[in-house]
Amino acid sequence: MLKKYLIKNATVVNEGTSIVTDVLFYNGIIQKVGHKYAEPDFEVINGTGKYLLPGIIDGQVHFREPGLTHKGDLYSESKAAVAGGVTSFIDMPNTLPNVLDIKTLAEKYELASKKSLANYAFFLGVNGDNIDEIINIDTSQLMGVSDDGLYFTKKGNLLADNPETMEKLFSNCKSIIAIHSEQEELVEKYEQIFRKRFGEKVPVEFHPMIRSTEGCYQATKQAIGLAKKHNARLHILHLTTEAETHLFQNSIPLKDKKITTEVSVHNLWFCDKDYERLGMLIKWNPAIKSENDKNGLLKALLDDRIDIITTDHAPHTLEEKNKTYFQAMSGAPLVQHSLNCMLEFYKQGKISLEKIAEKMCHNPAILYRMENRGFIKEGCAADLVLVDMNKSWKVTKKNILYKCGWSPLEGTTFTTKVLQTFVNSNLVYHYGQFNENIKGEALKVKQSNEY
Ligand SMILES: [Zn+2]
């Protein structure tokens, strides 16, 4: 029988407030928020001194299944996710085969229903090859379409490089268009310059010069211009520069925005000073940039020009990372530690707990029009994470759950710990133990944008 849980006296962080209260949940749903006496059939959890947040919704992950499962898979990476308090994710289309049609998309949902411990959704891939099909299908029920990662398979397929494809897409697509915003042409120009200078062994410190601020800024500016022209629903993925933050607005509520953006945790945590210490391990696309960019991104997050926080969790094997510049894969795993990183910023006084809940829980649900997710309120799905705000632990190979077995955060001491994670009112993560019997659900798209 499914259990009924009553968390008593936890500090509930939700919708701008942190209040000590009780939360009762069962049958997948939050039944009551507010003082509640225990009944005989409730399992009571003492939340005294602990913090309860809505489960984290990560809007950008690469779980690598199907086709790239030597790096990660829907089971291993969703397990790492729930251990980090992440209860829902949206996965990118650059798996193999690329998700470029509805049939492949449906197969991915089918796989996840059997393997994922967290709730899931998938982007439909879009590039120069399938644009004519995409504009002819009803995309209104999709979580979104995206080109992220697809340009690796074929040069010139990045949307930002194809104004013609973009025009077609923006004038026809009804769903969110989430794009990786960099001018590949400019990247190639700088690649050639640095290849001439260093040959194959370009030091990774030059990565932010090759994948430059200019290339990001110009691509983002152009995409926004096109989206405005066609009144399209544009989301710029993983912003990396301070310059780009000034292209976004904070004067209207998120639910009414047509142009939105995100920052990934590594762009708040690392900067170019870390290349010396971590080398190719923090080679990401777009590149991690300067300290000024890092600070500017946080500022834009706090004043709501940036709407959500994601990870761009992108596992590769160490073998794939430890190569020379042009050969080393871009991307790194992060989904297990994103909440810990943000809570560390809270402890440093850089962000409030309420803002973390807004950017990691409420806003992804609003932005992607998710039905019934992202809040601790009655009637909402019981996706919850209980956190100890005063427990230190160190990231080591032993406690990393990613299939690839490493993290750029190895050796980092966090001072907060995820204790329990509930997905649809099921206790899937409990003090280091997992309940793997119950799987997550497919995330649904809401029909209206009322919140
Ligand atoms: Zn990505």
Side-chain angles (χ1 to χ4, degrees):
M1 204 192 77
L2 292 173
K3 283 185 181 165
K4 296 180 176 179
Y5 292 99
L6 176 64
I7 299 182
K8 281 201 77 71
N9 297 317
T11 301
V12 175
V13 183
N14 187 60
E15 291 180 275
T17 60
S18 296
I19 299 166
V20 176
T21 190
D22 306 338
V23 181
L24 173 71
F25 52 98
Y26 53 85
N27 286 345
I29 302 293
I30 295 170
Q31 308 286 343
K32 183 169 172 66
V33 181
H35 180 67
K36 178 87 188 161
Y37 288 108
E39 288 177 28
D41 60 338
F42 294 172
E43 183 162 325
V44 177
I45 295 166
N46 181 5
T48 307
K50 293 160 192 160
Y51 287 73
L52 189 70
L53 282 85
I56 306 305
I57 302 172
D58 193 333
Q60 192 194 161
V61 303
H62 300 261
F63 282 180
R64 306 302 193 198
E65 186 166 0
L68 297 163
T69 52
H70 65 288
K71 298 175 194 275
D73 60 56
L74 286 161
Y75 165 71
S76 62
E77 308 312 281
S78 69
K79 190 171 172 176
V82 295
V86 177
T87 54
S88 298
F89 62 85
I90 314 178
D91 183 79
M92 284 296 171
N94 62 330
T95 38
L96 292 179
N98 291 164
V99 184
L100 294 173
D101 57 71
I102 294 293
K103 185 173 166 280
T104 313
L105 185 68
E107 284 166 3
K108 221 164 152 177
Y109 273 95
E110 179 65 21
L111 260 179
S113 73
K114 296 189 181 106
K115 301 186 72 173
S116 177
L117 301 189
N119 303 313
Y120 48 86
F122 298 95
F123 281 101
L124 177 63
V126 60
N127 61 19
D129 295 338
N130 72 337
I131 180 68
D132 291 324
E133 284 139 67
I134 295 276
I135 60 175
N136 282 319
I137 58 170
D138 176 13
T139 51
S140 61
Q141 295 309 297
L142 299 177
M143 199 53 77
V145 300
S146 180
D147 65 341
D148 191 54
L150 294 176
Y151 63 97
F152 286 114
T153 46
K154 188 178 164 188
K155 282 271 179 208
N157 250 343
L158 200 64
L159 287 177
D161 276 349
N162 288 279
E164 213 176 290
T165 308
M166 290 251 273
E167 291 262 13
K168 250 189 197 175
L169 184 64
F170 283 15
S171 56
N172 286 284
C173 184
K174 285 175 191 66
S175 82
I176 292 170
I177 303 161
I179 76 162
H180 178 121
S181 188
E182 278 188 294
Q183 281 187 337
E184 270 309 294
E185 246 172 56
L186 204 59
V187 172
E188 277 166 28
K189 186 183 122 188
Y190 286 121
E191 275 182 353
Q192 279 177 15
I193 292 170
F194 282 90
R195 201 192 282 271
K196 254 191 192 150
R197 191 168 152 200
F198 294 103
E200 286 301 302
K201 292 183 176 171
V202 176
V204 71
E205 284 81 351
F206 292 103
H207 191 47
M209 276 160 247
I210 291 170
R211 292 196 166 262
S212 65
T213 296
E214 187 191 358
C216 294
Y217 183 83
Q218 291 304 336
T220 299
K221 196 177 160 195
Q222 188 191 25
I224 290 173
L226 274 177
K228 280 186 177 160
K229 180 178 163 193
H230 296 288
N231 201 26
R233 179 65 190 86
L234 172 69
H235 180 70
I236 302 284
L237 298 163
H238 42 42
L239 221 61
T240 56
T241 70
E242 192 269 342
E244 287 166 286
T245 63
H246 299 287
L247 297 169
F248 296 88
Q249 308 285 322
N250 57 5
S251 54
I252 47 170
L254 173 57
K255 71 180 178 61
D256 298 325
K257 281 188 183 179
K258 296 287 265 183
I259 294 160
T260 55
T261 192
E262 67 185 37
V263 62
S264 294
V265 172
H266 54 277
N267 292 112
L268 298 171
W269 190 264
F270 298 114
C271 70
D272 56 4
K273 289 180 181 162
D274 297 304
Y275 284 118
E276 193 185 348
R277 184 169 59 92
L278 293 162
M280 299 296 173
L281 296 185
I282 58 163
K283 183 188 181 216
W284 249 284
N285 295 347
I288 288 168
K289 298 190 172 67
S290 71
E291 193 159 24
N292 183 48
D293 290 304
K294 183 171 90 166
N295 296 337
L297 290 164
L298 180 64
K299 188 163 183 275
L301 180 76
L302 295 176
D303 73 18
D304 298 335
R305 281 172 291 151
I306 295 179
D307 305 289
I308 61 170
I309 298 168
T310 61
T311 60
D312 192 17
H313 172 82
H316 295 288
T317 64
L318 272 179
E319 205 183 6
E320 291 167 330
K321 290 295 280 181
N322 289 326
K323 292 190 170 178
T324 51
Y325 178 77
F326 294 103
Q327 302 303 315
M329 295 279 191
S330 292
L334 239 158
V335 76
Q336 191 183 342
H337 307 112
S338 57
L339 178 57
N340 286 121
C341 287
M342 293 313 299
L343 292 176
E344 225 47 57
F345 289 144
Y346 159 68
K347 290 197 138 186
Q348 294 162 13
K350 292 179 177 169
I351 187 168
S352 69
L353 283 179
E354 295 80 10
K355 204 69 179 173
I356 292 173
E358 181 189 327
K359 300 295 179 181
M360 300 186 94
C361 314
H362 311 328
N363 281 6
I366 297 170
L367 195 155
Y368 285 106
R369 303 161 296 149
M370 288 177 190
E371 201 174 274
N372 245 13
R373 303 278 170 188
F375 295 87
I376 303 182
K377 60 183 179 194
E378 290 163 20
C380 214
D383 298 334
L384 299 161
V385 53
L386 190 68
V387 178
D388 187 334
M389 294 297 286
N390 284 300
K391 194 163 177 62
S392 288
W393 64 288
K394 200 189 230 184
V395 180
T396 63
K397 285 239 185 303
K398 248 183 165 173
N399 53 38
I400 288 167
L401 292 160
Y402 311 131
K403 198 173 193 178
C404 65
W406 66 275
S407 159
L409 293 162
E410 270 170 61
T412 303
T413 298
F414 287 121
T415 61
T416 68
K417 197 156 176 51
V418 170
L419 303 175
Q420 293 177 310
T421 306
F422 298 85
V423 179
N424 308 312
S425 80
N426 302 306
L427 180 55
V428 292
Y429 177 76
H430 176 74
Y431 293 86
Q433 305 294 312
F434 295 86
N435 177 357
E436 300 181 6
N437 297 324
I438 305 167
K439 303 298 184 276
E441 294 173 1
L443 297 166
K444 291 199 184 81
V445 176
K446 219 176 153 94
Q447 291 316 298
S448 77
N449 71 343
E450 288 310 311
Y451 274 87

